[in-house]
Amino acid sequence: MTQKKTKRPVKSPTRAPAYSLYGESPEFGQSIFSNAESILVRSNNLTSNIDLHVHLDLYQFVYISEGRSTLISPSGTYNFGTNSLVMIPPNIEHGFYSYIETKTFGHVITISDAYFDRLAQRGVLASDLVKYITIIEQLDRGRNPEVFTAIERVIYEHNSEHYPFILAREAAVLSFIVEFLRIVAERNVLQFGVKTSDIGDLSGKSKIEILSQLIDRYYKTEKNVQFYADRMNMSISNLNKISVKATGKTLHSNIKARNLEQARSYLANTNLSVKEISFSLGYDDAAYFTRFFTTNTGLSPIAFRRLSVRATREGEHVLPLDPA
């Protein structure tokens, strides 16, 4: 589903006010905590419009489970709704407009930057993923159950006073950070504030890198191109264009090539039977796998193994056979 970005610039004050977690002045000292509370509690003392402001040392995650809201930034505004997750890094101007006629439910998870950087290996893992306001839409419990579980665990542990709640909170926050970074890396998310020139230069490269990572992770269990299109929130047609432009092959051909590559490796370097290899690669029918391998390489699995063994003994190199 195409994401729509409203190009309405918002007039920014010379210097947006800076707030800590509950609106107190940052002079109280650097935040070293995490917090989780419902949107209703968080906005209890706020009007429906939250003007532009910044958090000097806080990462803030807004999860909308039901309803809708509008993000305000100097770059414009963006409408998002049910099953959306918005991340606002420190020192980024932002605000929100809530619709009085719409009941909006969800949670706000706040993590201090020192805490975030420590849990995310001092920013190494997150360095390229959390520079801008990031919006993830259309989260689906069926496709991304880990994200929902992580959010629910953070909320539960921050409402718990039972020992060892401090350790449990840290574990829950770490799990949430990992799942957030994972889904950002896997999906074509909107990063609000990225320069248009940067998008033009980098988007094609980053998408094919994401696709390559997805294929490496799921090729054994997911061979349907629709799965990859869904994970990247793109149509099969557009994803195929990116794949062909970058690799010269369609998405289906690249998935097939990855399976054949691993099959050849198993045949040449292990003693696994053809049946065991077929099951390992996600094929329930060994006969089907044999036909698949033979059709695309010109050799049966047994013939390929014999060839590779002979080549190894004679010190030769068995050239990889590309799929037709």
Side-chain angles (χ1 to χ4, degrees):
M1 183 175 180
T2 303
Q3 294 170 319
K4 297 181 180 179
K5 181 176 177 180
T6 307
K7 292 281 188 177
R8 289 188 297 173
V10 177
K11 186 177 180 181
S12 174
T14 305
R15 183 178 181 181
Y19 298 115
S20 292
L21 180 58
Y22 289 106
E24 67 271 20
S25 169
E27 283 82 15
F28 282 96
Q30 187 182 46
S31 305
I32 54 171
F33 52 78
S34 63
N35 185 69
E37 56 193 348
S38 71
I39 288 176
L40 293 178
V41 171
R42 184 75 183 93
S43 60
N44 186 47
N45 297 320
L46 301 175
T47 61
S48 57
N49 294 325
I50 303 176
D51 294 332
L52 284 173
H53 64 285
V54 298
H55 298 295
L56 297 180
D57 60 354
L58 299 174
Y59 286 88
Q60 202 157 68
F61 299 81
V62 179
Y63 169 61
I64 302 291
S65 60
E66 183 180 340
R68 63 191 178 110
S69 186
T70 296
L71 168 71
I72 306 168
S73 88
S75 301
T77 63
Y78 191 87
N79 301 318
F80 59 96
T82 300
N83 287 337
S84 294
L85 180 61
V86 180
M87 187 280 296
I88 300 141
N91 297 305
I92 299 293
E93 293 185 37
H94 66 283
F96 289 99
Y97 177 86
S98 299
Y99 298 86
I100 297 176
E101 72 279 8
T102 303
K103 292 183 178 180
T104 301
F105 299 96
H107 283 79
V108 179
I109 298 171
T110 305
I111 307 171
S112 70
D113 61 349
Y115 193 22
F116 184 97
D117 288 346
R118 178 167 65 85
L119 294 182
Q121 299 177 8
R122 299 203 57 79
V124 174
L125 182 64
S127 59
D128 294 326
L129 300 178
V130 292
K131 294 178 180 178
Y132 309 97
I133 294 175
T134 300
I135 303 174
I136 305 173
E137 293 189 283
Q138 299 176 355
L139 284 170
D140 183 89
R141 191 175 289 271
R143 292 205 305 267
N144 307 109
E146 304 89 352
V147 177
F148 288 89
T149 300
I151 292 172
E152 290 162 0
R153 195 69 195 177
V154 168
I155 295 165
Y156 173 81
E157 295 298 349
H158 281 78
N159 289 328
S160 175
E161 296 296 334
H162 298 294
Y163 179 84
F165 65 90
I166 295 176
L167 292 176
R169 286 181 186 179
E170 181 163 314
V173 171
L174 176 58
S175 177
F176 170 71
I177 291 174
V178 168
E179 295 306 329
F180 170 78
L181 293 175
R182 177 177 290 155
I183 199 169
V184 169
E186 290 181 354
R187 288 182 56 167
N188 178 31
V189 302
L190 171 70
Q191 288 197 301
F192 211 79
V194 180
K195 294 179 181 178
T196 304
S197 59
D198 293 338
I199 293 175
D201 292 339
L202 300 177
S203 61
K205 178 182 178 182
S206 63
K207 287 174 183 175
I208 195 61
E209 287 176 346
I210 293 169
L211 177 59
S212 178
Q213 291 171 1
L214 283 173
I215 292 175
D216 278 342
R217 183 176 179 185
Y218 293 108
Y219 72 94
K220 292 182 179 180
T221 57
E222 302 292 344
K223 297 177 173 56
N224 191 319
V225 296
Q226 187 65 58
F227 170 84
Y228 298 91
D230 288 343
R231 294 290 291 201
M232 293 187 66
N233 199 27
M234 298 177 66
S235 68
I236 293 176
S237 175
N238 286 336
L239 194 54
N240 261 328
K241 289 178 183 178
I242 291 172
S243 179
V244 171
K245 183 177 180 180
T247 69
K249 298 177 182 177
T250 64
L251 173 56
H252 176 73
S253 293
N254 276 309
I255 298 169
K256 183 168 64 174
R258 185 65 184 89
N259 276 273
L260 289 169
E261 176 189 352
Q262 189 60 51
R264 290 195 294 269
S265 177
Y266 281 145
L267 290 166
N269 302 308
T270 75
N271 293 321
L272 294 174
S273 68
V274 172
K275 185 175 182 180
E276 289 172 328
I277 291 173
S278 67
F279 288 165
S280 176
L281 292 173
Y283 297 94
D284 294 331
D285 186 347
Y288 175 85
F289 167 73
T290 297
R291 290 194 299 272
F292 164 76
F293 188 90
T294 304
T295 299
N296 287 283
T297 67
L299 292 170
S300 70
I302 297 299
F304 180 88
R305 171 167 276 169
R306 288 172 179 166
L307 179 63
S308 65
V309 169
R310 187 177 68 200
T312 300
R313 287 173 179 170
E314 296 175 359
E316 297 176 355
H317 175 64
V318 180
L319 294 176
L321 301 172
D322 289 330

